[in-house]
Amino acid sequence: IVFTVERKVRNAVFRNRAMRVTREAFRRTRDDLPPGTDVVVIVKRDTAWPTLERYKRDMAHAFRIYSHRARS
């Protein structure tokens, strides 16, 4: 798993919060991924203020799409 936040993303406070929330959201949703899956999460410049619920929802949605495609 790789988490990264672009330096162009606002300021250090925002980047640090985005990293913490991203890690926690992944920790809570990783069971939705098939074993052995590699994940790269990139927080982009136009990202809204990070909330755990939003990130969990977005990751769970992305993982469901990936899992569906991996089975096909």
Side-chain angles (χ1 to χ4, degrees):
I1 177 99
V2 175
F3 300 114
T4 184
V5 180
E6 293 180 338
R7 282 207 177 260
K8 295 177 185 176
V9 174
R10 300 188 190 184
N11 57 24
V13 172
F14 184 91
R15 288 191 302 271
N16 291 336
R17 177 168 172 78
M19 287 296 289
R20 284 194 312 272
V21 171
T22 302
R23 279 192 212 105
E24 182 62 18
F26 177 77
R27 189 183 68 76
R28 293 184 181 194
T29 58
R30 66 181 163 208
D31 293 336
D32 297 339
L33 280 174
T37 303
D38 294 330
V39 177
V40 177
V41 178
I42 302 171
V43 178
K44 295 288 191 170
R45 183 178 358 178
D46 57 348
T47 302
W49 183 254
T51 64
L52 182 57
E53 290 305 314
R54 180 184 301 139
Y55 277 30
K56 277 178 28 185
R57 183 185 64 230
D58 292 348
M59 279 191 188
H61 178 72
F63 294 168
R64 276 192 303 275
I65 290 172
Y66 173 78
S67 295
H68 177 69
R69 288 183 182 169
R71 282 184 257 138
S72 299

